[in-house]
Amino acid sequence: MDTLRPAQNYLNEPRGWKSWLFTLDHKRIGIMYLAAILLAFLLGGIFALIVRLELLRPGADLMSADTYNKMFTLHGAIMIFLFIIPSIPAALGNFALPLMIGARDVAFPRLNLASWWVYVAGTIIALYSIFAGAVDTGWTFYTPYSTQTTTAVISMTFAAFVLGFSSIFTGINFIVTVHKLRAPGMTWFKMPLFVWALYATAIIQVLATPVLGITLLLLIFERLFAIGIFDPAMGGDPVLYQHFFWFYSHPAVYIMILPGMGIMSELVATFARKTIFGYRFVAFSSVAIALIGFLVWGHHMFTSGQSEAASMVFSALTFLVGIPSAVKIFNWLTTLYKGQISFETPMLYALWFLCTFTIGGLTGIFLGALVVDVHLHDTYFVVAHFHYVMMGGTVMAFLGGIHYWWPKMFGRMYSEFWGRIAAVLVFVGFNGTFFPQFVMGAQGMPRRYFDYVPEYGTMHAASTVGSWIMTLGFLIMATYLIASFWRGKPAGNNPWGALSLEWTTTSPPPPHNFDSQPVVTHGPHDYDKIIAPSTLAGR
Ligand code: HEM
Ligand SMILES: [Cu+2]
C-alpha cells in the first residue's frame, strides 16, 4: 500500500456512479461542480474562438451579422452564468471551505446537493435555448430589444433564473457553515482569508441574486403578457430594466472576483513563506467590497439618460469601491516583499493575477470617471477592461487554486514542467488577446460589431492570434492534469508546506475529512513562526 496516498478515501468510498450523483459529501459535490463548470468553460471558449475567428480580418467572412450576435451572446451568457459565477465558490470553495475550518461538511449537505442539481437543470434549459434559436440580445438581455426579438429569450432568461437558485443555495450554506461549524480555536481572525472571501461573497449571493431573478421574471412576463413594464411602446421604461439588472450584476462582479482575491491571499502567503501583511485589513476589505459594491450600479448607465447628479454620485462611489481592492493589492505586494518566494505553478498564476487584475482594476477607474466613460462606453476598451478583471483576475486565481488544491483533491502531483509552460502560454496569450483591445477601443472600435474598417486590422489579427496561444496553453493544461491521474507522483498530506487545516489531513481526504477533531492553535498564515515541512520529495 502506498503510504503517501490512502487506499480508502472520499474518491473511492463508497463506489458506484449513484453514490456520486446523490452524494452529500461537500468534496464530491465540489468535484462534480468542477467537472460541470470546466465543460461550461469549454463551451463558452468555443464560442469565443468563433467570435475571434470572425474578427480575424475585416469583412463578413464566416457568418451573418445575426449569427455573430448570437455567438457573442452565447459566449457571454455561458461564461457568466454557467462558468464564472459558480467557478470558485461552488467548485473550489465547496471542496476546500469545510476542510479549511476543520468541519466534517457544510451545514446543509442536502441543500448543497440540491444546488448542484439545480445548476444542472439550469444548464439543460440553457442548452435547450441554444438549439431553440439561441439568443441575440447580449448577455445583459437589455430591453426593449429583448422583448421584441424572436430568439429564445424566454427560455434563456428562465435558465439564468433557475441558475440563480443554485448560487443562493451555495451562499446560504457557506454563511451558516462559517458561523456554526468552525473547529475549536478557530476564531474569526484565525480563519484563512479564502474563507473570509467566500463569506463576503455569500452575503452578495444571498442578497443580490433574488433581484436578478425577479427582474428576469418580469422580462418573461413582459414578453408573455405585454404588461408594459420595460417596453416604451407599451408605456414601460427600458432604463428601469437597466437599473434592476445592474443592481444585481454589479454586485455580481464581486461574486466573481472576491473568491479569486481569497485564493490570492492563500497563494501569496504560502509561496512567499510569510504572514499576510495586514490580515484584518484584507479580511475587512472583502466585507467592505461586498457592501459598497451595492452602491455603484449606476456607472453602467452614464450614457443611458440618468440625471447628471446621479451620475456624479455613482462616479464618486465607484472610486470609493476601488479603495478596498487597492488595499488588497498593496498588502499582497508587501507580503511578497523580502519573502522567500518559490515560483511553482500556482504561484505563477498569483503573479499573473497581480499584473492583469491591476490593469483591469485601474482601467475600471478610467471608466468610472464620468467624462472618460462617455468616450469609451460600448467600445473595445470596455471589452478589454472586463476581460482583464474576469479572466485576468478571477480565471487566473481559479487556475492558481486548481493547481494549488489539485494534490489535495486527487492525492497526486501534475507535471510541474508542463504546468509552467502552460502558465506562460496562458499569460502571453491572454495579454496578446486583450491588450490590443484597449488600444482599438480608445481609438473608437465599437463593441458587438462583426465587421470593422481596415485600420483596425492589425490589432484585431493580433488579438485573434493571442486567443490561439491561450488555447494552446489550455490544451496542454488539460493534458497534464488528466495525465496526473495515472502518472502523478503521490503528493502526501502537505506538498506545499502550507499551514491551513486542509493540509493536515490525508490527500485525498477520508470521507469524513479528519480522523480526529482538529484544534486550532495558530493563525492560518503564520509562516514566520511555524515551519510545516513539505511532504514532497525534493521540494
Ligand atoms: C474566461 C472568462 C471569460 C469571461 C467571463 C468572458 C465574458 C464575456 C462577456 C460577458 C462578454 C460580453 C458579451 C456581450 O457583449 O454580450 C464577452 C465578449 C467577448 N469575449 Fe469573452 N469572456 C471570457 C473569455 C474570453 C476569451 C478566452 C476570449 C477570446 C478567446 C473572449 C473573447 C470575447 C469576444 C471576442 C467578445 C465579443 C466582444 C464583442 O464583439 O462585443 N472571451 N466575454
Ligand atoms: Cu459595475
Side-chain angles (χ1 to χ4, degrees):
M1 193 189 96
D2 195 338
T3 49
L4 277 172
R5 200 172 178 278
Q8 303 247 300
N9 56 60
Y10 81 99
L11 289 172
N12 57 24
E13 193 188 295
R15 284 177 189 277
W17 58 271
K18 271 196 195 155
S19 76
W20 277 84
L21 291 181
F22 301 106
T23 182
L24 298 180
D25 182 337
H26 69 97
K27 300 182 289 305
R28 286 189 167 194
I29 296 173
I31 300 289
M32 293 200 297
Y33 252 122
L34 185 63
I37 61 164
L38 289 177
L39 287 176
F41 184 65
L42 176 68
L43 186 61
I46 290 172
F47 285 119
L49 287 174
I50 295 174
V51 169
R52 278 298 351 143
L53 202 59
E54 169 60 49
L55 296 174
L56 176 62
R57 285 176 311 182
D61 302 313
L62 291 179
M63 60 191 92
S64 68
D66 286 331
T67 311
Y68 180 85
N69 291 347
K70 292 180 181 175
M71 293 299 125
F72 76 70
T73 301
L74 293 176
H75 162 66
I78 290 171
M79 286 300 196
I80 298 284
F81 296 115
L82 294 178
F83 170 65
I84 206 164
I85 295 265
S87 62
I88 299 180
L92 300 181
N94 240 325
F95 180 85
L97 181 132
L99 288 166
M100 291 179 104
I101 62 170
R104 285 180 72 130
D105 208 311
V106 290
F108 307 122
R110 283 191 172 73
L111 190 67
N112 204 16
L113 179 63
S115 164
W116 188 79
W117 276 105
V118 169
Y119 171 89
V120 171
T123 304
I124 291 172
I125 305 172
L127 292 177
Y128 162 80
S129 320
I130 297 180
F131 292 106
V135 187
D136 63 354
T137 58
W139 77 281
T140 48
F141 309 116
Y142 267 17
T143 55
Y145 184 66
S146 59
T147 54
Q148 292 158 4
T149 169
T150 54
T151 53
V153 170
I154 294 183
S155 62
M156 190 60 102
T157 46
F158 188 64
F161 174 80
V162 171
L163 287 163
F165 282 91
S166 77
S167 181
I168 294 172
F169 289 175
T170 304
I172 294 176
N173 231 329
F174 285 3
I175 291 177
V176 181
T177 306
V178 168
H179 273 275
K180 289 292 177 194
L181 298 184
R182 281 172 287 133
M186 176 152 303
T187 57
W188 282 86
F189 295 114
K190 284 208 170 73
M191 286 197 321
L193 285 165
F194 182 48
V195 177
W196 268 102
L198 288 174
Y199 180 76
T201 307
I203 295 175
I204 315 178
Q205 287 176 296
V206 171
L207 293 183
T209 315
V211 179
L212 178 76
I214 293 165
T215 308
L216 295 179
L217 270 194
L218 287 176
L219 178 59
I220 292 174
F221 286 154
E222 176 96 338
R223 273 191 76 109
L224 288 176
F225 308 117
I227 320 180
I229 307 167
F230 301 129
D231 191 341
M234 296 182 264
D237 179 359
V239 179
L240 181 66
Y241 175 85
Q242 298 186 18
H243 278 287
F244 286 173
F245 182 83
W246 287 109
F247 187 83
Y248 163 78
S249 290
H250 189 87
V253 306
Y254 295 114
I255 298 180
M256 305 172 201
I257 195 65
L258 276 172
M261 292 171 154
I263 292 180
M264 275 298 288
S265 299
E266 303 299 325
L267 297 181
V268 164
T270 306
F271 290 92
R273 304 258 129 231
K274 275 185 62 188
T275 303
I276 278 280
F277 179 85
Y279 171 94
R280 286 183 186 220
F281 275 93
V282 180
F284 283 131
S285 63
S286 289
V287 181
I289 288 176
L291 299 180
I292 306 173
F294 276 98
L295 306 177
V296 302
W297 79 91
H299 61 210
H300 295 275
M301 276 160 285
F302 287 156
T303 59
S304 304
Q306 104 191 323
S307 84
E308 216 170 273
S311 288
M312 275 153 61
V313 172
F314 280 123
S315 182
L317 287 167
T318 302
F319 297 153
L320 194 66
V321 79
I323 295 174
S325 296
V327 166
K328 284 181 195 280
I329 301 272
F330 175 79
N331 286 21
W332 293 323
L333 289 176
T334 318
T335 307
L336 289 175
Y337 181 66
K338 291 193 174 167
Q340 303 166 37
I341 304 174
S342 63
F343 296 93
E344 281 140 316
T345 309
M347 185 59 175
L348 291 183
Y349 286 106
L351 297 177
W352 301 166
F353 181 107
L354 278 176
C355 304
T356 47
F357 173 74
T358 304
I359 295 177
L362 284 176
T363 50
I365 302 290
F366 297 8
L367 293 166
L370 204 46
V371 279
V372 182
D373 184 67
V374 173
H375 175 68
L376 294 175
H377 180 74
D378 261 343
T379 67
Y380 259 77
F381 192 91
V382 176
V383 178
H385 154 70
F386 69 67
H387 283 94
Y388 267 82
V389 175
M390 294 193 281
M391 197 168 194
T394 308
V395 175
M396 293 299 177
F398 173 68
L399 295 175
I402 289 190
H403 286 85
Y404 182 58
W405 282 300
W406 188 266
K408 182 55 64 184
M409 289 174 170
F410 301 109
R412 293 187 187 280
M413 302 304 290
Y414 44 82
S415 158
E416 179 63 28
F417 172 78
W418 286 107
R420 291 183 197 188
I421 303 241
V424 170
L425 286 171
V426 167
F427 183 71
V428 172
F430 170 81
N431 287 289
T433 308
F434 295 109
F435 200 82
Q437 299 182 359
F438 279 125
V439 183
M440 296 190 249
Q443 292 174 351
M445 170 73 209
R447 170 185 181 188
R448 296 177 171 172
Y449 276 41
F450 91 131
D451 192 5
Y452 49 85
V453 291
E455 280 79 355
Y456 297 118
T458 320
M459 273 175 296
H460 266 304
S463 181
T464 300
V465 172
S467 74
W468 297 338
I469 299 175
M470 204 169 14
T471 306
L472 180 63
F474 281 118
L475 291 177
I476 293 176
M477 193 187 303
T479 312
Y480 70 73
L481 285 180
I482 293 172
S484 77
F485 291 138
W486 294 276
R487 295 161 152 240
K489 55 180 175 185
N493 291 7
N494 193 357
W496 313 119
L499 286 179
S500 38
L501 286 177
E502 77 271 33
W503 305 104
T504 59
T505 188
T506 54
S507 312
H512 49 275
N513 289 356
F514 299 96
D515 284 334
S516 55
Q517 171 66 58
V519 177
V520 181
T521 51
H522 57 74
H525 320 107
D526 278 350
Y527 291 99
D528 23 18
K529 292 190 211 130
I530 303 165
I531 297 171
S534 163
T535 49
L536 207 59
R539 185 178 186 271

